[in-house]
């Protein structure tokens, strides 16, 4: 399965989270997002990791590069953001 891993450093979770939540509908409308998981770092709650499963990485790239996402990043108080695009190799135990 393809995944988009997002590492985000934010200034204020309370400001960032509602704007992130507004991206749910556009992410679903992209046709390829299958859901994901949001993590907060144990020691720094403004260090966020998001893992989103996609049908194909092409749709993940299109979504991340969209004006909707770029605008949301500007409004939400993101200090730093890194995107990785991953293909699952195998499940491990």
């Amino acid at each position: 399965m393809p995944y988009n891993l997002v590492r985000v450093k934010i200034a204020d979770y309370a400001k960032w989270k509602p704007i992130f939540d507004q991206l749910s509908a556009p992410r679903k409308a992209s046709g390829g997002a299958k859901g994901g998981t949001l993590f907060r770092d144990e020691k720094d709650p403004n260090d966020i990791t998001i893992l989103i499963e996609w049908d194909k990485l092409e749709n993940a790239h299109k979504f991340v590069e969209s004006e909707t996402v770029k605008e949301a990043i500007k409004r939400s108080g993101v200090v730093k953001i890194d995107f990785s695009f991953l293909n699952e190799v195998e499940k491990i135990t």
Side-chain angles (χ1 to χ4, degrees):
M1 296 302 297
Y3 293 90
N4 174 217
L5 178 71
V6 186
R7 296 291 312 262
V8 187
K9 182 71 171 177
I10 56 176
D12 177 11
Y13 188 84
K15 177 182 177 183
W16 173 83
K17 183 64 165 69
I19 296 169
F20 173 77
D21 290 343
Q22 291 172 3
L23 292 175
S24 177
R27 194 168 39 251
K28 290 176 186 174
S30 73
K34 296 184 168 203
T37 306
L38 184 139
F39 303 89
R40 289 178 85 176
D41 186 80
E42 174 185 24
K43 294 178 183 171
D44 183 355
N46 287 329
D47 184 359
I48 307 295
T49 301
I50 307 158
L51 183 64
I52 302 170
E53 184 177 343
W54 291 84
D55 63 341
K56 53 187 173 181
L57 289 179
E58 178 183 343
N59 287 330
H61 281 283
K62 285 181 186 177
F63 177 73
V64 165
E65 295 165 5
S66 72
E67 288 304 315
T68 301
V69 171
K70 290 176 185 177
E71 195 274 330
I73 290 169
K74 289 178 186 174
R75 289 187 302 119
S76 65
V78 168
V79 176
K80 181 181 178 187
I81 190 164
D82 293 306
F83 298 100
S84 296
F85 301 88
L86 310 168
N87 284 303
E88 182 179 316
V89 175
E90 66 180 276
K91 299 278 188 201
I92 58 174
T93 58

